Amino acid sequence: MIFAHDTEVSLASTVALINTAHEPQDLTTREELEAFVTAWEWTGSRTHDDAEFRQVLRLRDRLQKMWLAPEEELVEEVNALLQDCRALPQLVRHGKWDWHLHATRPEQPLAERMAVEAAMALVDVIRSDETERLSQCAADDCDNVLIDLSRNRSRRYCDAGCTNRMAAQAYRARRTKV
Ligand SMILES: [Zn+2]
Ligand SMILES: [Zn+2]
């Protein structure tokens, strides 16, 4: 494991949120937001309205820019998110999750809780000097971002099947180039 368990889960959920913006887009309706929140087991208060949905989409854009930004800019944005949402780290445990950090209160808006969870995970990445693990899929027709949690930082493709797709493409290219 490269980071603490809760950090790795947060990074994975942040990647999943950012990648809903890319094909196949799967955060285009409030119903799809419900599915996302359920899949990633978000607890806490919800309003289930358009305002909440739009806040999540705005956060998604912001996180995507942060993911690929130079380190100085990333740091500024992480600090801004923590400050804007008045983050206050507290150890909690609930359900099947043992002690981990929450830095927001359950009654804060969903997008703020998502923002702070992403920011707290990025704090770990930045202070471990591991920001090169934040990257983008190397397939030329794929815009997905990824978090490289491989020991030797060798991951190039996202989870959306790009590894297999690029391998098949390379294989076909070799066969036709006789
Ligand atoms: Zn929790
Ligand atoms: Zn990809």
Side-chain angles (χ1 to χ4, degrees):
M1 203 189 292
I2 308 288
F3 302 107
H5 176 69
D6 57 335
T7 295
E8 294 197 352
V9 173
S10 301
L11 291 169
S13 75
T14 304
V15 163
L17 176 64
I18 294 171
N19 288 345
T20 61
H22 309 138
E23 294 305 329
Q25 294 191 18
D26 44 16
L27 194 56
T28 57
T29 62
R30 275 163 46 188
E31 288 68 39
E32 286 176 335
L33 177 60
E34 297 307 320
F36 184 87
V37 165
T38 305
W40 287 96
E41 301 180 35
W42 282 95
T43 55
S45 70
R46 298 284 314 282
T47 54
H48 303 279
D49 57 4
D50 274 331
E52 179 185 68
F53 180 59
R54 281 194 306 271
Q55 284 164 10
V56 171
L57 295 187
R58 269 201 302 277
L59 172 67
R60 181 179 70 177
D61 289 346
R62 195 166 169 185
L63 289 172
Q64 156 137 304
K65 286 195 197 89
M66 288 167 67
W67 205 265
L68 304 171
E71 193 170 274
E72 291 289 311
E73 212 172 294
L74 172 64
V75 167
E76 243 171 66
E77 281 287 283
V78 165
N79 281 341
L81 282 181
L82 292 173
Q83 185 149 21
D84 292 352
C85 304
R86 300 168 308 281
L88 176 67
Q90 296 281 288
L91 283 162
V92 295
R93 67 181 164 192
H94 56 85
K96 63 176 189 195
W97 305 99
D98 204 355
W99 294 118
H100 59 285
L101 283 172
H102 278 197
T104 47
R105 286 161 289 112
E107 61 273 21
Q108 277 180 259
L110 176 66
E112 287 192 11
R113 285 180 281 123
M114 287 177 158
V116 169
E117 184 155 316
M120 292 292 290
L122 289 168
V123 162
D124 275 4
V125 174
I126 294 163
R127 67 196 177 91
S128 319
D129 195 19
E130 297 282 5
T131 52
E132 66 187 71
R133 293 181 183 278
L134 308 173
S135 65
Q136 193 163 29
C137 181
D140 20 295
D141 55 352
C142 180
D143 294 324
N144 281 349
V145 299
L146 62 91
I147 175 74
D148 183 354
L149 295 177
S150 64
R151 200 149 292 280
N152 55 354
R153 299 191 181 93
S154 58
R155 181 141 178 233
R156 298 187 59 218
Y157 300 113
C158 74
D159 285 327
C162 287
T163 307
N164 294 339
R165 208 161 47 76
M166 296 317 281
Q169 216 173 73
Y171 175 73
R172 278 197 302 274
R174 274 197 306 276
R175 290 200 53 185
T176 47
K177 198 168 46 185
V178 184

